[in-house]
């Protein structure tokens, strides 16, 4: 009879078999977890790569917007107006499609955004540009001081919350000398701070540089708008109120207009004809060339009178009986001894010319009479084609059509009454085809100022400006990364160039995508990064 002793497994063998099974389960679990981790890592890296690609594409969308602006601003003014103009043109500047098409689920766009200002306050956004000539140019304030002592400080004192000490410190930073103004700050002050530096003693390269000036704060310069979307959002308003309760600074509330919306270092305009050619310099030495140039764009009596004015000067005293039919004799051999300070010197002027064989001199009156109707017809063309300013660029003049009341008050020669008349006149509807609005001389032709007042104002005011600021937002018709920058484009040169660039990506998109012009899909049909790239 066989023994059954060996038919039962040993106890130790059973324990070892269970332990091996447990090890197998643990190893399989660990391998599964490792595989899952690896797949998850791959998926995360996959999304990160495409996210980075989307960010890069959004930046290229912004670049497309900048290039489109340069092309637009290089066009003649008339062509810009035909396309809708630069100020508020959603058809041309909102949701411009760059990537994809109307049937593509993945579309990339850009929008050009600026603040909409009503009654001196920002109320919304618009799709267009800001003209830098509507602001006070810090770079010209030392020149204003030379023409009108203390004009620079008086101009800055019109800014909300400005003090004489801060105004003097800003002017010391901007002017070329090292002399400290009564309440200002020069190198000796800045060398005594924790991290010493020197004042620029020249116009700043950007407004952000003013944060280096003694006592200038971020709130003074940029206000309560922390995300740079021109509006005070609810959280920003709450933060401003909190700052106001803890600070005695008058600039700590959101009601104050930030200086950045009133100041600039870039404003300039082209000293060119509407066709983009240099204007005729009325004070050039070669009178033969001057007569030839004037005869090509102006009636011959105009050309002859200007030559006679340059040779003989203005007849002083009370107006005299003038020749009405006889043509002004032209002698180009005589040099030009007199200069015109502005084209307005020709208004109502008379010249006296010796007449061969007669004891009396001949008196001729300017074709441009001191009459509102005559000036309204003739002055725009005269300013379009002639100039008394050398160079192809004029810097720092203030656009009286666009400047806010605060900036208008800063102009030398402006008083409260005149500013009020300008604001009221701007509110009246004016046709875009009115040629007088191309220049600030509408103040004269509309009777807001006298001829002498206009002569005094002309070096400081303009009706144009060719440097523009805007935000460019690059985005997609999907909830993906956006890019946002602030740029300043200088169109006084050909081709227009970028003179300022500030990356606002870290501040967020700033605006809802649908406001920017995105065609957002339904959530049920929206495309994720993973689904797009499968």
């Amino acid at each position: 009879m066989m023994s059954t002793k060996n038919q039962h497994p040993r106890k130790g063998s059973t324990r070892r078999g269970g332990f091996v099974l447990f090890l197998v389960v643990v190893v399989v679990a660990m391998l599964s977890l490792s595989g899952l981790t690896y797949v998850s890592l791959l998926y995360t890296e996959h999304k990160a790569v495409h996210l980075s690609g989307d960010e890069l594409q959004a930046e290229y969308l912004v670049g497309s917007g900048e290039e489109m602006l340069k092309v637009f601003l290089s066009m003649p003014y008339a062509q810009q107006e035909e396309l809708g103009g630069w100020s508020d043109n959603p058809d041309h500047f909102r949701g411009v499609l760059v990537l994809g098409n109307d049937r593509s689920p993945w579309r990339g766009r850009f929008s050009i955004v600026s603040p909409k200002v009503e009654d001196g306050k920002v109320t919304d956004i618009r799709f267009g540009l800001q003209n830098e000539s509507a602001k006070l140019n810090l770079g010209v304030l030392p020149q204003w001081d030379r023409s009108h002592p203390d004009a620079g400080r008086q101009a800055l004192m019109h800014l909300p919350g400005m003090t004489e000490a801060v105004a003097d410190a800003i002017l010391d930073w901007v002017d070329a000398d090292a002399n400290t103004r009564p309440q200002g700050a020069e190198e000796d002050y800045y060398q005594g701070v924790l991290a010493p530096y020197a004042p620029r003693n020249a116009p700043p390269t950007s407004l952000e540089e003013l944060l280096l000036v003694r006592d200038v704060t971020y709130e003074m310069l940029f206000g309560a708008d922390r995300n740079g979307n021109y509006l005070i959002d609810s959280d920003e308003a709450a933060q401003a109120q909190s700052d106001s309760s803890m600070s005695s600074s008058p600039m700590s509330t959101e009601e104050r207009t930030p200086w950045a919306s009133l100041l600039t270092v870039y404003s300039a305009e082209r000293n060119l004809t509407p066709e983009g050619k240099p204007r005729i310099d009325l004070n050039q030495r070669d009178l033969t060339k001057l007569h030839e140039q004037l005869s090509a764009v102006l009636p011959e009596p105009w050309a002859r009178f200007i030559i006679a004015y340059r040779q003989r000067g203005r007849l002083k005293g009370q107006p005299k009986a003038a020749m009405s039919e006889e043509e002004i004799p032209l002698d180009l051999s005589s040099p030009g001894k007199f200069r015109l300070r502005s084209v307005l010197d020709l208004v109502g002027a008379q010249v006296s010319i010796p007449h061969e064989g007669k004891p009396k001199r001949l008196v001729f009156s300017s074709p441009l009479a001191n009459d509102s109707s005559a000036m309204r017809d003739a002055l725009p063309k005269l300013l379009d084609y002639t100039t008394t300013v050398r160079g192809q660029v004029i810097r720092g003049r203030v656009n009286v059509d666009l400047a806010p009341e605060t900036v208008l008050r800063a102009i030398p020669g402006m008083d409260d009454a005149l500013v009020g008349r300008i604001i009221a006149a701007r509110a009246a509807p004016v046709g875009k085809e009115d040629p007088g609005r191309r220049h600030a001389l509408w103040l004269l032709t509309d009777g807001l100022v006298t001829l002498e007042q206009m002569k005094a104002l002309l070096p400081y005011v303009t009706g144009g400006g060719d440097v523009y600021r805007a935000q460019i937002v690059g985005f997609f018709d999907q909830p993906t990364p956006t890019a946002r920058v602030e740029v300043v484009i200088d169109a006084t040169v050909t081709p227009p160039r970028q003179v300022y660039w500030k990356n606002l990506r870290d501040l967020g998109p700033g605006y809802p995508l649908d406001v920017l012009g995105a065609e957002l899909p339904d959530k049920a049909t929206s495309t994720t990064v993973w689904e797009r790239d499968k």
Side-chain angles (χ1 to χ4, degrees):
M1 183 173 177
M2 296 180 60
S3 173
T4 59
K5 187 176 182 179
N6 293 329
Q7 292 180 0
H8 300 285
R10 301 175 184 175
K11 292 183 179 181
S13 175
T14 302
R15 285 196 294 267
R16 283 196 300 271
F19 181 72
V20 170
L21 181 60
F22 174 76
L23 286 178
V24 171
V25 172
V26 170
V27 170
V28 170
M30 292 179 64
L31 289 175
S32 299
L33 288 174
S34 298
L36 182 60
T37 302
Y38 180 69
V39 171
S40 177
L41 180 62
L42 286 180
Y43 178 68
T44 302
E45 288 293 328
H46 176 84
K47 289 199 298 183
V49 168
H50 285 288
L51 184 64
S52 177
D54 290 343
E55 291 177 344
L56 186 61
Q57 281 191 320
E59 292 178 2
Y60 281 124
L61 292 173
V62 167
S64 297
E66 181 178 331
E67 293 305 313
M68 187 274 277
L69 278 184
K70 292 177 181 178
V71 172
F72 182 86
L73 293 176
S74 66
M75 298 176 181
Y77 299 136
Q79 189 173 352
Q80 293 180 21
E81 289 299 322
E82 289 177 3
L83 293 174
W86 55 263
S87 177
D88 192 2
N89 188 354
D91 291 339
H92 204 71
F93 294 135
R94 178 177 181 264
V96 180
L97 186 63
V98 178
L99 295 176
N101 52 48
D102 293 338
R103 297 183 301 275
S104 172
W106 193 258
R107 295 181 291 270
R109 305 174 185 269
F110 68 80
S111 288
I112 312 297
V113 183
S114 293
K116 182 178 182 180
V117 181
E118 296 176 339
D119 297 327
K121 296 185 178 296
V122 177
T123 59
D124 204 344
I125 63 170
R126 56 186 170 84
F127 296 94
L129 310 173
Q130 298 181 73
N131 190 325
E132 288 291 280
S133 290
K135 304 175 184 178
L136 181 63
N137 191 316
L138 292 172
V140 301
L141 295 185
Q143 302 174 26
W144 290 13
D145 270 345
R146 289 192 289 271
S147 302
H148 300 271
D150 208 33
R153 180 201 268 192
Q154 293 177 18
L156 289 175
M157 288 303 296
H158 286 90
L159 300 181
M162 180 62 72
T163 66
E164 292 185 351
V166 174
D168 279 357
I170 292 175
L171 290 170
D172 277 337
W173 187 276
V174 172
D175 64 25
D177 62 57
N179 302 321
T180 305
R181 294 171 186 262
Q183 300 184 51
E186 281 286 358
E187 186 170 1
D188 55 346
Y189 169 81
Y190 297 106
Q191 289 298 315
V193 300
L194 184 61
Y197 54 94
R200 181 173 291 278
N201 287 335
T205 58
S206 69
L207 289 180
E208 283 81 359
E209 189 177 312
L210 290 182
L211 295 174
L212 298 174
V213 177
R214 186 200 64 193
D215 295 337
V216 175
T217 66
Y218 183 95
E219 287 72 23
M220 292 174 175
L221 196 57
F222 296 107
D225 180 20
R226 296 287 177 168
N227 66 353
N229 68 347
Y230 305 120
L231 302 173
I232 306 301
D233 302 321
S234 57
D235 58 330
E236 294 170 336
Q239 182 63 45
Q241 291 297 330
S242 174
D243 294 342
S244 178
S245 64
M246 295 185 295
S247 172
S248 60
S249 170
M251 287 298 297
S252 59
T253 63
E254 72 272 17
E255 288 83 8
R256 299 284 182 172
T257 302
W259 295 352
S261 64
L262 303 171
L263 298 175
T264 184
V265 295
Y266 304 111
S267 61
E269 58 194 288
R270 288 177 280 186
N271 194 17
L272 303 175
T273 68
E275 294 78 21
K277 298 180 180 179
R279 288 174 176 151
I280 302 168
D281 181 6
L282 294 177
N283 291 317
Q284 61 183 280
R285 300 181 64 179
D286 189 343
L287 296 188
T288 300
K289 180 181 177 181
L290 175 59
H291 178 259
E292 180 182 342
Q293 291 176 332
L294 291 172
S295 299
V297 296
L298 298 175
E300 180 62 19
W302 285 76
R304 287 175 174 265
F305 184 84
I306 292 172
I307 296 297
Y309 188 107
R310 288 289 315 283
Q311 293 172 331
R312 306 295 174 181
R314 186 188 185 102
L315 181 61
K316 297 181 180 179
Q318 294 296 322
K320 297 177 173 57
M323 304 295 295
S324 58
E325 297 180 359
E326 189 169 337
E327 190 176 65
I328 299 177
L330 184 65
D331 178 15
L332 296 176
S333 63
S334 179
K337 300 178 182 179
F338 299 87
R339 297 175 61 84
L340 287 94
R341 292 173 300 173
S342 77
V343 296
L344 293 180
D345 288 346
L346 298 172
V347 177
Q350 289 186 321
V351 294
S352 175
I353 301 176
H355 188 61
E356 185 177 351
K358 294 184 179 181
K360 291 186 176 181
R361 302 167 71 89
L362 300 178
V363 176
F364 295 90
S365 294
S366 169
L368 184 55
N370 190 1
D371 173 79
S372 295
S373 177
M375 289 188 291
R376 187 176 291 108
D377 293 336
L379 272 179
K381 184 172 183 179
L382 192 61
L383 265 74
D384 278 345
Y385 292 97
T386 68
T387 184
T388 58
V389 179
R390 289 187 175 181
Q392 295 189 11
V393 177
I394 304 174
R395 300 194 180 277
R397 298 201 297 187
V398 175
N399 187 310
V400 294
D401 294 293
L402 303 173
E405 185 174 341
T406 299
V407 176
L408 289 177
R409 294 181 186 278
I411 300 172
M414 286 278 187
D415 55 30
D416 291 345
L418 178 54
V419 170
R421 293 197 297 271
I422 292 174
I423 298 297
R426 293 193 321 198
V430 178
K432 290 185 177 181
E433 67 279 0
D434 184 359
R437 290 286 177 161
R438 293 198 299 267
H439 307 282
L441 288 177
W442 67 267
L443 302 180
L444 173 63
T445 58
D446 285 8
L448 275 66
V449 297
T450 65
L451 178 60
E452 293 306 314
Q453 286 177 311
M454 193 70 242
K455 286 182 179 180
L457 286 172
L458 197 56
Y460 309 106
V461 296
T462 182
D466 296 291
V467 182
Y468 300 89
R469 180 186 298 266
Q471 287 187 18
I472 308 174
V473 187
F475 59 96
F476 296 92
D477 287 356
Q478 300 281 349
T480 56
T482 61
R484 181 162 61 109
V485 303
E486 185 174 8
V487 297
V488 175
I489 305 296
D490 181 0
T492 63
V493 296
T494 304
R497 62 178 179 174
Q498 174 206 99
V499 294
Y500 174 85
W501 187 91
K502 183 178 181 180
N503 191 351
L504 304 177
R505 178 194 289 277
D506 292 342
L507 302 180
Y511 319 95
L513 292 181
D514 57 338
V515 172
L516 293 174
E519 296 181 5
L520 297 177
D522 296 333
K523 290 184 178 180
T525 60
S526 61
T527 307
T528 65
V529 173
W530 172 257
E531 292 169 340
R532 180 192 64 178
D533 297 306
K534 283 201 301 185

